[in-house]
Amino acid sequence: MNGLIMMIIAIIVLGGAYLIYGRYLANLWGIDENAKTPAYEMEDGVDYVPADTNVVFGHQFASIAGAGPINGPIQAAIFGWVPVLLWILIGGVFFGAVQDFASMYASVKNKGRTIGYIIELYIGKIGKKLFMLFTWLFSILVVAAFADVVCKTFNGFGEDGSVILANGQVAMTSCLFIAAAVGLGIFLRKSKANKWINTIIAIVILVVCIAVGLFVPIYIGTGAWHIIVFVYIAVASIAPVWILLQPRDYLNSYLLVAMIIASVAGVLIANPAMELSAFNGWKVEGQTIFPYLFVTIACGAVSGFHSLVSSGTASKQIKNEKNMLPVSFGAMLMESMLAVIALIAVGAIAKGGVIPDMTQPAIFATGVAGFLVKIGIPESISMTLITLSVSAFALTSLDSVARVGRLAFEEFFLDADTDEENMSAVTKLCTNKYFSTLITLAVAFALAKVGYKDIWPLFGSANQLLSALALIACAVFFKKTNRQGWMLWVPMVIMLLVTLSMLAITIYTKFTGVVTASTNNMGGDILQLAFAAALFILGIIVSISGLKALTDKVNTAGA
């Protein structure tokens, strides 16, 4: 197998899935092009803001395509390229794309509300409370980790005090993106120009920002960047989506899509050999394929985080129901393509089946830069552009997940029947967007600075548990509203088995290490043990509530 054949297979499978399976689901579930979407029905200029398809697609894709589809396939490549490729393609089509589309569909049909609201309406208040608590904790983990990733790609100094040119260029370009996004947001809001004119303007801005960044780098240390990035996240999580979130993701989406297209072209020209073994066995380096592979490769196959973006932010920007298919299903398949590129990249630079001893982003950057050289882009510029893309993937997820975390915290204290005009003082405080942002980011900042690494190994399990719970919620919604939801059942059951198995293994391993005092990181392992146990219990409780609702013979026609 070589990179060319692998790429062709991926293009055929993913493209065919969109044209056939995606359209089938849209017809089966029912798309009402004349319906008034929540973006118009509840327009508030902050979260509910109608946007063109390309703008919302840019937000969705830039938000969901964090570092996951790059890190996951490269880590899981220890099992060989065959199981990784199969899970990306099968998972991306029948698990991830279906989950993202279903989550957005259910949200749009329920006034743009989140999966938590869907759970409350169709499963119960307790399930909703637990889900929102989990979502808030999960969001804090993502913010803490991705903020650290961004700050390290912006860090302008090496350990010896020397400047790092590529990082300085990336930092300047990213800052220019943010400033330019505000101006672009005002233009898009005020001008109402044709989407093609908007596209041309966005691309010109993108090119100018990159050019200036390449020639005028800025050098700031990691500590200062932590403060700057968290201030930016705080502003982005409460600012109206049209002035920052939409236009910045819109700008970055062109960079990310261009990088993917250029990488595909580079692979087609270079036709790199896959220096990885096809299959290395069911157990490698102490890890078994089930459940490790399915937890490690989340983004690119199926990711619970996507359901939060689909139902938390993107659904509030959909202008027409027909746009849901390209924005959700299409964006997920694009991410699967990115995961395939990551797999080809690690395969191209591996030696004798051995993965290089480098970080996953470094492996990705090195491999893809080699592809870009084949289409005429100098290696030094290629490395900077790929580093910029990796940083952009993480940064665009940051502002979205910070907003999702803020909304989850607020929604935890609200019920569907809450009288918002006569709330208690405590409830008013906790549902205040400034307070909820402060408390969310304060915890995330502390974790990013001192301790998130101790619980980050559980991110994969937490993410996939979130996927299982989202699939359960959507399956219940489809049943209660007399819609076909059978395609959610197999992904739902498999993700539950994957998640609970991985958590059980983690609990056993950490408990054994703590009890026998054989661990080298007692504090970290105790923290992981507590977190894994809490997730396991949470998953069981919410799953039982959801599965009980699914087996209930009483249907309630609704949205």
Side-chain angles (χ1 to χ4, degrees):
M1 176 68 76
N2 55 45
L4 175 60
I5 295 177
M6 188 178 294
M7 184 63 70
I8 292 174
I9 290 174
I11 292 173
I12 292 174
V13 170
L14 298 176
Y18 180 84
L19 295 174
I20 299 174
Y21 192 42
R23 289 180 176 178
Y24 167 75
L25 292 179
N27 291 330
L28 181 67
W29 293 342
I31 299 296
D32 185 357
E33 297 184 14
N34 298 316
K36 190 175 183 179
T37 64
Y40 286 110
E41 184 181 357
M42 305 182 70
E43 185 173 3
D44 60 5
V46 178
D47 295 314
Y48 290 85
V49 179
D52 290 334
T53 309
N54 54 338
V55 176
V56 189
F57 176 90
H59 162 67
Q60 176 82 2
F61 177 65
S63 297
I64 66 174
I70 294 172
N71 292 347
I74 295 175
Q75 284 182 291
I78 59 174
F79 292 107
W81 62 263
V82 170
V84 173
L85 181 62
L86 287 176
W87 175 231
I88 290 172
L89 296 182
I90 295 174
V93 173
F94 297 104
F95 288 62
V98 172
Q99 173 208 254
D100 294 6
F101 190 11
S103 298
M104 182 173 289
Y105 183 91
S107 178
V108 168
K109 290 297 186 179
N110 282 278
K111 299 184 182 299
R113 301 294 184 89
T114 66
I115 290 295
Y117 174 85
I118 306 298
I119 290 177
E120 177 184 2
L121 188 61
Y122 297 101
I123 297 177
K125 290 184 178 180
I126 295 178
K128 177 251 187 174
K129 294 284 188 185
L130 293 174
F131 181 83
M132 298 318 300
L133 177 60
F134 173 78
T135 300
W136 183 64
L137 294 173
F138 175 80
S139 299
I140 288 172
L141 277 176
V142 177
V143 170
F146 281 19
D148 197 46
V149 170
V150 169
C151 292
K152 287 179 179 176
T153 60
F154 286 179
N155 177 35
F157 304 101
E159 293 182 1
D160 59 357
S162 61
V163 298
I164 305 175
L165 177 61
N167 287 8
Q169 293 170 328
V170 169
M172 173 57 84
T173 303
S174 298
C175 291
L176 291 174
F177 278 175
I178 294 172
V182 175
L184 179 62
I186 295 173
F187 173 79
L188 294 175
R189 181 100 170 152
K190 302 295 183 182
S191 70
K192 306 297 183 181
N194 181 278
K195 66 180 181 179
W196 295 111
I197 295 177
N198 296 338
T199 297
I200 293 173
I201 293 174
I203 292 175
V204 170
I205 291 175
L206 183 67
V207 172
V208 170
C209 289
I210 293 175
V212 174
L214 289 174
F215 290 101
V216 189
I218 57 174
Y219 301 105
I220 300 175
T222 304
W225 276 122
H226 268 115
I227 297 174
I228 295 171
V229 167
F230 269 89
V231 169
Y232 161 72
I233 299 171
V235 174
S237 66
I238 59 177
V241 294
W242 63 267
I243 199 170
L244 187 55
L245 195 70
Q246 279 183 353
R248 202 185 69 77
D249 288 352
Y250 182 41
L251 276 177
N252 275 325
S253 69
Y254 283 105
L255 169 66
L256 304 180
V257 171
M259 184 271 289
I260 291 176
I261 293 174
S263 299
V264 170
V267 169
L268 297 180
I269 295 173
N271 187 22
M274 287 295 293
E275 298 295 337
L276 291 173
S277 300
F279 182 61
N280 290 324
W282 300 104
K283 187 173 183 179
V284 180
E285 296 181 7
Q287 301 289 349
T288 55
I289 282 187
F290 183 91
Y292 184 81
L293 174 74
F294 304 94
V295 171
T296 302
I297 304 177
C299 300
V302 57
S303 167
F305 171 61
H306 295 190
S307 69
L308 301 183
V309 177
S310 297
S311 68
T313 56
S315 63
K316 298 174 175 61
Q317 303 170 46
I318 294 292
K319 292 178 70 173
N320 191 299
E321 287 192 7
K322 67 179 181 181
N323 298 343
M324 289 190 287
L325 177 62
V327 170
S328 58
F329 204 92
M332 176 61 225
L333 297 184
M334 180 71 76
E335 187 184 65
S336 295
M337 179 59 71
L338 175 61
V340 172
I341 292 172
L343 176 60
I344 296 175
V346 66
I349 67 173
K351 301 295 183 181
V354 179
I355 299 174
D357 186 18
M358 304 161 60
T359 65
Q360 286 81 33
I363 291 174
F364 179 80
T366 302
V368 174
F371 304 153
L372 298 186
V373 168
K374 296 297 183 180
I375 60 176
I377 301 177
E379 185 175 0
S380 59
I381 295 179
S382 296
M383 285 296 292
T384 297
L385 291 177
I386 298 304
T387 303
L388 175 62
S389 298
V390 172
S391 176
F393 278 131
L395 191 57
T396 48
S397 295
L398 264 178
D399 48 22
S400 293
V401 76
R403 185 178 290 261
V404 167
R406 186 257 293 177
L407 292 172
F409 185 86
E410 295 171 18
E411 195 170 333
F412 178 84
F413 297 94
L414 293 173
D415 295 321
D417 57 357
T418 298
D419 183 357
E420 297 188 20
E421 294 183 358
N422 296 295
M423 295 187 297
S424 67
V426 173
T427 303
K428 286 183 179 180
L429 175 64
C430 292
T431 56
N432 178 277
K433 66 179 181 180
Y434 300 105
F435 178 79
S436 58
T437 298
L438 176 63
I439 194 69
T440 300
L441 296 187
V443 177
F445 183 80
L447 286 174
K449 296 293 288 185
V450 299
Y452 84 89
K453 290 182 180 179
D454 284 337
I455 55 176
W456 184 245
L458 289 170
F459 166 74
S461 298
N463 190 27
Q464 301 304 64
L465 175 57
L466 184 59
S467 173
L469 299 181
L471 286 166
I472 291 175
C474 291
V476 173
F477 162 75
F478 282 116
K479 178 182 180 180
K480 296 295 186 179
T481 57
N482 295 316
R483 290 182 171 91
Q484 294 291 326
W486 51 265
M487 71 293 299
L488 304 177
W489 282 69
V490 171
M492 173 186 72
V493 172
I494 291 178
M495 296 318 298
L496 272 179
L497 291 176
V498 165
T499 302
L500 297 179
S501 297
M502 193 68 205
L503 287 173
I505 292 172
T506 302
I507 291 171
Y508 174 78
T509 302
K510 299 304 176 183
F511 179 77
T512 302
V514 171
V515 171
T516 60
S518 60
T519 176
N520 295 322
N521 183 17
M522 182 65 73
D525 282 354
I526 291 176
L527 191 58
Q528 288 190 54
L529 174 61
F531 202 84
L535 289 176
F536 188 87
I537 295 171
L538 171 65
I540 292 293
I541 294 174
V542 178
S543 298
I544 290 176
S545 299
L547 294 176
K548 183 178 179 181
L550 278 176
T551 57
D552 185 359
K553 296 182 179 180
V554 179
N555 288 332
T556 305

